[in-house]
């Protein structure tokens, strides 16, 4: 295999089906520098969807300056969490959900793996939905259709692109993300220039301030919409780096690459949405297509390209990692089969929402916050486990329930369950009818109940993150020391 890898050129590697799954990447396959992490992370987050988050944030009833603070803090901090989790990939050269076994145990890790699978499949479905809706909206304005046939064709094209990259694997993804980064970056700049005259600073600056609870709610929503949606796959790409790569470089390039585009897009999106109430309301139904309303006709086709490529860039990383998460749950199949299964689920979910679903924003918020709680709990536990380790992971024991990492490590498993249960009691999702049961602890905790000031602060996500970190660091460090003393 090593000889084959050496003689195959980069083009043939990109078009070959990757054989790596949950396995540790062999030394001869580890390559590159931390700076190369910039490309997949930038390409996955340069989507014009970042503009729509401006409207989402203002929807919490806060001012421009409050929303800007929430965006900067929420985006940078949440992607910093991704950078820190990426350290595990460099130190262990295995996927995130395989490295998580060191904290949860080999079979105990099935719980966070299942949550990770739901989150990544959910995200790739959301991005496919947005690409389909955006294409239909633009085609309708051009007079080229926009109805069922257009949506079906758009779904087929987008679905094939995403599934093909997910099945073929890492080399194709890295090449595709480089192209996506350049194309979407240039066209997004053109978009900003074309619609800049739609901004009314007097209207934006006149937006009334909201309460501190509303500010926290927007901050938590932005954290879950950006970095917390990626933490469970953060090590999937750093695992290909040599183990002697700079840890500071891994954290820095991951955080910088993932944050820079969302910061710019979110800031401009605030100005755009804050200038027009009609635009903000339209974004709730069609977050990408609504952004095309202010464009001249000649740029609509390039807009579709930039929108679809940006969304595909994010979905490609999701489908690759959702396949790995499915393997970690226990699917007895090669990685590419897992990616195909996820592709089928993704397309089925898109068909349901696009052709039979309700308003997008309510369901989207419910999805983010609901899965954001257990993912935040897992993230806290994983970060504490990484912080307490002084040595690299023992490769073989990640796949042996009788090894040093054990079968089920009950402290992190129970911590994740309890923190999730409490966290769900401290969040609300009134726009999603199937989530009205949440928030059951707001009144007992003296936070005003589901109609009180703290109802939409979504404190449960922050609680789960902090609780997971504190409990694992306090109670799990001794177990890590014991593991590292084993021969």
């Amino acid at each position: 295999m090593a000889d084959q890898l050496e003689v195959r050129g980069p083009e043939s590697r990109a078009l070959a089906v990757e054989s790596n799954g949950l396995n540790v990447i062999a030394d001869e396959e580890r390559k590159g520098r931390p700076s190369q992490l910039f490309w997949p992370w930038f390409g996955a987050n340069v989507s014009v969807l970042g503009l729509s988050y401006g409207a989402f944030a203002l929807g919490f009833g806060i001012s421009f300056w409050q929303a800007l603070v929430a965006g900067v803090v929420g985006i940078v901090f949440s992607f910093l969490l991704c950078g820190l989790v990426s350290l595990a990939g460099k130190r262990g050269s295995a996927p995130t959900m395989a490295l998580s076994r060191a904290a949860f145990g080999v079979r105990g890790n099935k719980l966070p793996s299942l949550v990770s699978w739901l989150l990544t499949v959910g995200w790739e479905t959301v991005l496919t939905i947005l690409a389909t809706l955006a294409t239909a909206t633009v085609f309708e304005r051009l007079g080229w259709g926009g109805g069922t046939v257009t949506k079906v064709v758009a779904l087929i094209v987008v679905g094939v692109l995403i599934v093909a990259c997910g099945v073929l694997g890492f080399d194709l993804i890295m090449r595709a993300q480089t192209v996506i980064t350049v194309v979407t970056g240039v066209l997004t700049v053109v978009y900003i220039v074309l619609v800049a005259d739609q901004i009314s600073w007097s209207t934006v600056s006149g937006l009334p301030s909201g309460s501190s609870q509303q500010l926290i709610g927007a901050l938590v929503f932005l954290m879950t919409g950006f970095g917390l949606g990626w933490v469970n796959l953060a090590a999937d790409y750093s695992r290909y780096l040599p183990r002697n790569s700079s840890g500071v470089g891994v954290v820095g390039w991951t955080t910088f690459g993932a944050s820079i585009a969302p910061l710019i897009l979110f800031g401009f999106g605030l100005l755009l949405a804050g200038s027009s109430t009609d635009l903000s309301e339209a974004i709730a139904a069609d977050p990408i297509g609504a952004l095309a309303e202010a464009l001249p006709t000649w740029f609509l086709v390039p807009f579709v390209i930039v929108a679809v490529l940006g969304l595909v860039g994010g979905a490609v990383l999701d489908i690759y990692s959702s396949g790995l998460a499915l393997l970690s749950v226990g699917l007895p199949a090669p990685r590419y089969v897992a990616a195909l299964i996820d592709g089928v689920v993704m397309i089925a979910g898109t068909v349901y929402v696009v052709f039979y679903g309700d308003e997008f924003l309510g369901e989207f918020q419910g999805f983010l916050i609901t899965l954001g709680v257990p993912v935040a709990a897992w993230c806290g536990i994983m970060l504490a486990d990484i912080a307490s380790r002084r040595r690299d992971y023992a490769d073989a024991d990640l796949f042996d329930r009788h090894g040093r990492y054990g079968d089920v490590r009950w402290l992190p498993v129970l911590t994740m369950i309890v923190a999730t249960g409490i966290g769900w009691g401290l969040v609300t999702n009134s726009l999603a009818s199937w989530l009205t049961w949440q928030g059951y602890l707001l009144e007992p905790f003296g936070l005003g109940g589901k109609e009180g000031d703290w109802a939409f602060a979504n404190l449960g996500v922050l609680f789960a993150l902090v609780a997971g970190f504190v409990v694992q660091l306090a109670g799990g460090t001794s177990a890590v020391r014991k593991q590292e003393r084993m021969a």
Side-chain angles (χ1 to χ4, degrees):
M1 173 63 76
D3 293 337
Q4 293 175 344
L5 286 172
E6 289 172 4
V7 298
R8 287 164 59 189
E11 291 79 10
S12 62
R13 286 201 305 270
L15 296 177
V17 176
E18 181 191 358
S19 60
N20 289 316
L22 291 183
N23 58 286
V24 172
I25 303 301
D27 288 336
E28 61 269 18
E29 291 189 63
R30 296 175 194 152
K31 53 188 179 294
R33 302 179 302 277
S35 60
Q36 292 174 303
L37 291 172
F38 173 86
W39 298 106
W41 286 107
F42 185 91
N45 290 284
V46 73
S47 167
V48 292
L49 177 61
L51 294 167
S52 298
Y53 274 94
F56 299 159
L58 292 176
F60 281 84
I62 57 180
S63 70
F64 168 80
W65 293 110
Q66 286 178 314
L68 188 63
V69 170
V72 171
V73 175
I75 291 170
V76 175
F77 176 70
S78 61
F79 280 122
L80 175 61
L81 298 179
C82 291
L84 294 171
V85 173
S86 293
L87 285 173
K90 189 265 293 191
R91 296 168 61 181
S93 299
T96 314
M97 282 299 121
L99 297 168
S100 178
R101 292 173 174 178
F104 286 83
V106 175
R107 289 199 297 182
N109 193 60
K110 291 182 182 296
L111 172 64
S113 294
L114 177 60
V115 172
S116 177
W117 180 75
L118 290 171
L119 181 65
T120 46
V121 167
W123 259 115
E124 66 202 47
T125 303
V126 164
L127 297 175
T128 306
I129 291 168
L130 291 174
T132 303
L133 291 176
T135 302
T137 299
V138 171
F139 273 44
E140 183 176 12
R141 184 176 164 188
L142 288 168
W144 297 352
T148 300
V149 174
T150 302
K151 292 175 182 177
V152 169
V153 173
L155 174 56
I156 292 173
V157 173
V158 171
V160 168
L161 283 174
I162 295 170
V163 173
C165 287
V167 168
L168 294 178
F170 179 80
D171 283 308
L172 180 59
I173 288 173
M174 294 297 285
R175 285 179 165 272
Q177 293 294 58
T178 302
V179 174
I180 288 172
T181 295
V182 174
V183 175
T184 54
V186 171
L187 292 180
T188 300
V189 170
V190 176
Y191 174 89
I192 290 174
V193 171
L194 289 175
V195 302
D197 61 350
Q198 304 291 321
I199 294 172
S200 171
W201 176 245
S202 60
T203 303
V204 173
S205 61
L207 293 172
S209 298
S211 65
S212 55
Q213 292 93 332
Q214 290 170 306
L215 174 60
I216 294 172
L219 170 65
V220 172
F221 175 76
L222 293 169
M223 285 177 56
T224 55
F226 286 103
L228 276 179
W230 293 105
V231 289
N232 56 308
L233 53 84
D236 292 358
Y237 302 94
S238 56
R239 68 180 175 138
Y240 285 89
L241 293 174
R243 294 201 189 192
N244 61 357
S245 299
S246 166
V248 173
V250 169
V251 175
W253 282 107
T254 298
T255 306
F256 176 68
S259 298
I260 187 63
L263 285 172
I264 296 171
L265 293 169
F266 175 75
F268 188 79
L270 282 177
L271 294 171
L272 206 58
S275 301
S276 171
T277 303
D278 291 340
L279 176 61
S280 292
E281 293 175 352
I283 285 174
D286 184 1
I288 304 297
L291 295 171
E293 291 301 318
L295 287 172
T297 303
W298 66 267
F299 192 70
L300 289 177
V301 171
F303 176 79
V304 169
I305 294 173
V306 67
V308 170
L309 281 180
L311 296 168
V312 166
V316 162
L317 264 65
D318 279 316
I319 195 170
Y320 181 78
S321 293
S322 67
L324 295 175
L326 191 56
L327 296 180
S328 189
V329 171
L331 179 72
R335 184 202 56 79
Y336 63 87
V337 172
L340 279 173
I341 292 173
D342 290 344
V344 171
V345 175
M346 173 190 77
I347 292 173
T350 302
V351 168
Y352 171 76
V353 174
V354 169
F355 297 103
Y356 305 103
D358 297 321
E359 183 182 82
F360 171 81
L361 181 56
E363 303 298 326
F364 180 53
Q365 286 181 326
F367 159 72
L368 283 184
I369 298 299
T370 299
L371 286 181
V373 172
V375 167
W378 171 85
C379 181
I381 293 167
M382 186 69 175
L383 289 175
D385 185 75
I386 293 171
S388 61
R389 292 191 182 277
R390 298 172 179 171
R391 301 179 183 176
D392 290 344
Y393 294 90
D395 298 346
D397 287 342
L398 291 170
F399 307 93
D400 180 6
R401 65 190 181 93
H402 301 294
R404 72 184 68 193
Y405 301 127
D407 188 16
V408 179
R409 307 198 72 86
W410 288 107
L411 176 65
V413 170
L414 293 176
T415 298
M416 184 172 175
I417 292 173
V418 173
T420 298
I422 296 175
W424 278 339
L426 297 174
V427 299
T428 53
N429 284 287
S430 62
L431 295 177
S433 58
W434 54 284
L435 295 172
T436 54
W437 54 271
Q438 293 179 347
Y440 48 81
L441 292 177
L442 290 169
E443 187 170 348
F445 282 15
L447 297 174
K450 296 183 180 181
E451 303 300 325
D453 292 339
W454 288 99
F456 296 97
N458 293 318
L459 294 176
V461 176
L462 296 177
F463 169 82
L465 178 65
V466 174
F469 182 82
V470 171
V471 173
Q472 178 65 18
L473 193 64
T477 300
S478 60
V480 170
R481 295 287 171 268
K482 183 178 179 181
Q483 291 172 2
E484 293 182 333
R485 287 194 296 268
M486 293 181 180

